[in-house]
Amino acid sequence: MTRALIAALLCLCCLPSLAAEAVRLSVAVTDQASPPYIMGEGALFAGQPGLAVELLQQAAEACHVELQLERQPGMRLLQNLQYGTVQASLLLSWNEERAQFASFPWRDGKPDAALRLATLRYALYVRNDSTLTWNGESLSNAAALVGYNLGWSVRADLTRHGIKAESAPGMVSNFNKLQAGRIEAYAAQDMMANAYLKLHPALHVHALPLPVVSKDYFMPFNKTFALQQPQLVQCLWQQMARRRDHLFRSRMAAYSEE
């Protein structure tokens, strides 16, 4: 038996054990529900965890990845992604600040929309007795104060439109401030906010017709991890993109019944 043949046989013997060894990946997920993509509040997921979570689970299985999902508040999630305490985060939009420490799928000088997880809209919520209007570029009252969730990227969009903005820790705080008249409007992801309002009919608020912005959302990785594991990162992005539309079409009805 030649040396070359012996070496080839040894390599073949090693392949099954390497293929079976899953890479562990810690992924931070917001602790607020974002139906239908992330379901359940706080540290736990709902029985059906959300379309984005299901999509990640399918991609992880295809890429031989063992997932460790951690529910975290928005600012802690970003800090842990920055410092590498977690390797990735589910459902984040791109902005220049995050691009300093997180690796997003990239093509032709911008985030690659083909590798997105979802596209979400931010809407402005006002009290039912409010006269405030939004034409897509400016508010009818330039002095109006608009709330947003601490750590949310919509802050930059509000600033770009010259809107006075004030942060609060989360959706509960912002809707309470809106109801109490401490802010004139609240900029929130519409699916998340609508799901919250469905559970809290005592809040007499509604969304203005035109969105503030629509954004693609991704699963970015800590930059250091992405440099160390480029093939794994690409595998997960590609598998999620490949499965996304079929999964969402086939599973959306199950979440509509929630």
Side-chain angles (χ1 to χ4, degrees), residues 109-239:
K110 59 184 179 180
D112 188 354
L115 301 183
R116 72 190 184 281
L117 287 174
T119 302
L120 303 181
R121 300 190 334 155
Y122 280 89
L124 287 173
Y125 289 80
V126 298
R127 294 182 302 279
N128 288 345
D129 61 357
S130 174
T131 59
L132 190 69
T133 60
W134 164 251
N135 64 11
E137 292 294 333
S138 61
L139 292 169
S140 57
N141 177 8
L145 183 62
V146 176
Y148 68 93
N149 284 23
L150 186 65
W152 276 10
S153 62
V154 73
R155 177 196 64 180
D157 300 290
L158 296 173
T159 301
R160 178 167 50 86
H161 287 289
I163 296 172
K164 292 173 60 179
E166 178 178 283
S167 67
M171 186 164 288
V172 176
S173 298
N174 272 301
F175 271 126
N176 288 341
K177 288 171 66 176
L178 179 61
Q179 186 82 337
R182 292 165 54 199
I183 54 177
E184 293 300 317
Y186 170 36
Q189 292 174 9
D190 60 355
M191 284 189 294
M192 182 187 298
N194 292 341
Y196 181 86
L197 291 175
K198 188 176 181 181
L199 296 174
H200 299 84
L203 289 171
H204 302 297
V205 303
H206 66 276
L208 296 180
L210 297 177
V212 178
V213 66
S214 294
K215 296 187 177 188
D216 290 330
Y217 280 70
F218 303 89
M219 188 173 83
F221 288 81
N222 168 269
K223 273 197 170 181
T224 300
F225 180 83
L227 288 172
Q228 294 171 344
Q229 297 277 3
Q231 291 180 327
L232 175 62
V233 168
Q234 287 297 325
C235 181
L236 287 168
W237 282 340
Q238 294 289 343
Q239 286 292 334

Side-chain angles (χ1 to χ4, degrees), residues 30 32-40 71 91 120 189 191-192:
T30 176
Q32 296 186 50
S34 183
Y37 300 105
I38 298 171
M39 304 295 289
R71 303 294 299 271
L91 216 63
L120 303 181
Q189 292 174 9
M191 284 189 294
M192 182 187 298

